[in-house]
Amino acid sequence: QKEVEQNSGPLSVPEGAIASLNCTYSDRGSQSFFWYRQYSGKSPELIMFIYSNGDKEDGRFTAQLNKASQYVSLLIRDSQPSDSATYLCAVNSGGSNYKLTFGKGTLLTVNP
Amino acid sequence: KAGVTQTPRYLIKTRGQQVTLSCSPISGHRSVSWYQQTPGQGLQFLFEYFSETQRNKGNFPGRFSGRQFSNSRSEMNVSTLELGDSALYLCASKTTDEQFFGPGTRLTVL
């Protein structure tokens, strides 16, 4: 059973701080990794994806991947109250036959 | 560009009935995936279709089925509904790297 684990939270940070969200996965053959944000009552929206070890930055967001440790993280700099949502980590273990396994998500609350 | 659309947005059914959900992907997207989201199990992959062929399947019973048409629109069918099928059903279409979700269909089974 391929698994993706996330701390369910809630993770609470003050406005302007860095929020750090973590995810581990069990399938060593996984090739691509995704972070989605889901507001309450809405569908998930893609924040960013990463394929290679190291960091990938997009605006206030940085994804970090360590395949040896089977670990992927998302950093949110200068957190805003509008970042308050559930963050879902997803791992593609199907290769070209796309099959995402999602973690259960971490609830982030950014306090003004 | 229009996003992924799903119909209906809400459904109420009773146990034993069957239901069909519809999804229209983003124009030009040929891959459509279906997911079930519940508070207890989170987001779980049901199946993926590409060019009218099921390319991948999750661990759901055979009561869950789907198909894709030549225009990439997809339908998902659940037969003999059970109470545990109450969930948000999400459809997603993808390009090479990015998958975009529709608003979902909220199914309640009474």
Side-chain angles (χ1 to χ4, degrees):
Chain A
Q1 181 82 0
K2 296 169 183 174
E3 296 181 346
V4 177
E5 300 286 343
Q6 294 181 257
N7 187 325
S8 63
L11 174 65
S12 184
V13 301
E15 184 174 355
I18 296 175
S20 178
L21 304 157
N22 304 315
C23 172
T24 59
Y25 58 95
S26 63
D27 183 7
R28 200 169 273 281
S30 299
Q31 298 172 358
S32 50
F33 308 85
F34 303 81
W35 282 100
Y36 282 83
R37 176 175 61 197
Q38 187 172 25
Y39 293 111
S40 180
K42 301 293 186 181
S43 59
E45 55 179 324
L46 181 66
I47 299 174
M48 57 193 308
F49 56 89
I50 186 167
Y51 292 135
S52 304
N53 278 330
D55 295 358
K56 179 181 178 182
E57 188 173 314
D58 184 359
R60 296 186 296 113
F61 299 95
T62 299
Q64 299 175 316
L65 175 62
N66 184 326
K67 289 186 178 180
S69 300
Q70 296 174 243
Y71 176 91
V72 59
S73 66
L74 179 71
L75 300 178
I76 306 174
R77 290 182 299 281
D78 188 24
S79 295
Q80 301 297 309
S82 59
D83 295 326
S84 298
T86 296
Y87 288 79
L88 300 166
C89 171
V91 174
N92 179 24
S93 53
S96 58
N97 292 339
Y98 201 78
K99 179 180 179 181
L100 288 190
T101 301
F102 280 82
K104 293 191 177 180
T106 298
L107 176 62
L108 172 66
T109 301
V110 181
N111 301 305
Chain B
K1 204 175 203 182
V4 179
T5 59
Q6 292 187 246
T7 57
R9 294 293 310 280
Y10 301 91
L11 264 180
I12 299 176
K13 292 286 187 179
T14 56
R15 279 182 300 173
Q17 289 187 309
Q18 76 165 20
V19 66
T20 299
L21 312 181
S22 181
C23 171
S24 292
I26 293 171
S27 178
H29 289 193
R30 295 163 62 191
S31 167
V32 173
S33 296
W34 288 90
Y35 295 84
Q36 180 197 66
Q37 188 173 34
T38 60
Q41 298 300 317
L43 250 175
Q44 293 185 286
F45 174 81
L46 280 155
F47 27 66
E48 186 217 3
Y49 285 87
F50 182 86
S51 294
E52 302 179 66
T53 300
Q54 187 180 88
R55 195 160 67 168
N56 222 330
K57 191 177 189 304
N59 297 322
F60 278 81
R63 299 185 298 107
F64 292 82
S65 63
R67 58 177 176 169
Q68 187 180 32
F69 302 95
S70 58
N71 61 358
S72 294
R73 191 177 69 85
S74 178
E75 288 181 347
M76 190 193 104
N77 185 78
V78 188
S79 62
T80 319
L81 284 166
E82 301 177 358
L83 294 179
D85 297 333
S86 293
L88 179 66
Y89 290 88
L90 291 159
C91 166
S93 72
K94 68 180 284 290
T95 62
T96 304
D97 294 321
E98 299 177 71
Q99 178 173 258
F100 300 91
F101 283 89
T105 294
R106 173 74 62 184
L107 172 64
T108 302
V109 182
L110 302 176

